[in-house]
Amino acid sequence: MLEAKKTRIYGLLMWVPASTGELFFMRMILSIAKGPTSYDEIIKIDGVQYPTFRAACFALGFLGNDEEFIGAIREAKD
């Protein structure tokens, strides 16, 4: 028989639409953050304090650069 694992759940992250801006980026970070106790801890990545949640998402690699898409559009145009 399988034994149940004991886990602790402290909260539930609700779905947040991308149109909410910084709130959306904060939720992205919170999906992987472990144990932050303040907003400053959430946006501190590898010892660097970022000014916004969006900047922290870029640092984590969640958001890509648009250069790939711009290059594809230019190539298609030519």
Side-chain angles (χ1 to χ4, degrees):
M1 180 178 271
L2 296 174
E3 292 183 31
K5 292 183 179 179
K6 292 183 180 181
T7 59
R8 293 181 183 185
I9 299 174
Y10 295 103
L12 176 66
L13 291 175
M14 303 301 287
W15 178 79
V16 177
S19 62
T20 58
E22 283 295 298
L23 183 61
F24 174 74
F25 297 120
M26 181 176 70
R27 193 216 182 278
M28 285 178 70
I29 295 171
L30 286 175
S31 68
I32 59 121
K34 293 184 181 182
T37 58
S38 69
Y39 286 108
D40 290 336
E41 287 182 19
I42 297 170
I43 58 177
K44 185 181 253 184
I45 311 297
D46 294 330
V48 177
Q49 188 76 31
Y50 289 91
T52 64
F53 293 111
R54 185 171 193 254
C57 283
F58 268 113
L60 288 167
F62 289 159
L63 306 174
N65 189 331
D66 290 341
E67 290 300 318
E68 179 181 343
F69 300 107
I70 292 170
I73 291 170
R74 287 184 180 149
E75 184 179 322
K77 177 190 74 138
D78 295 338

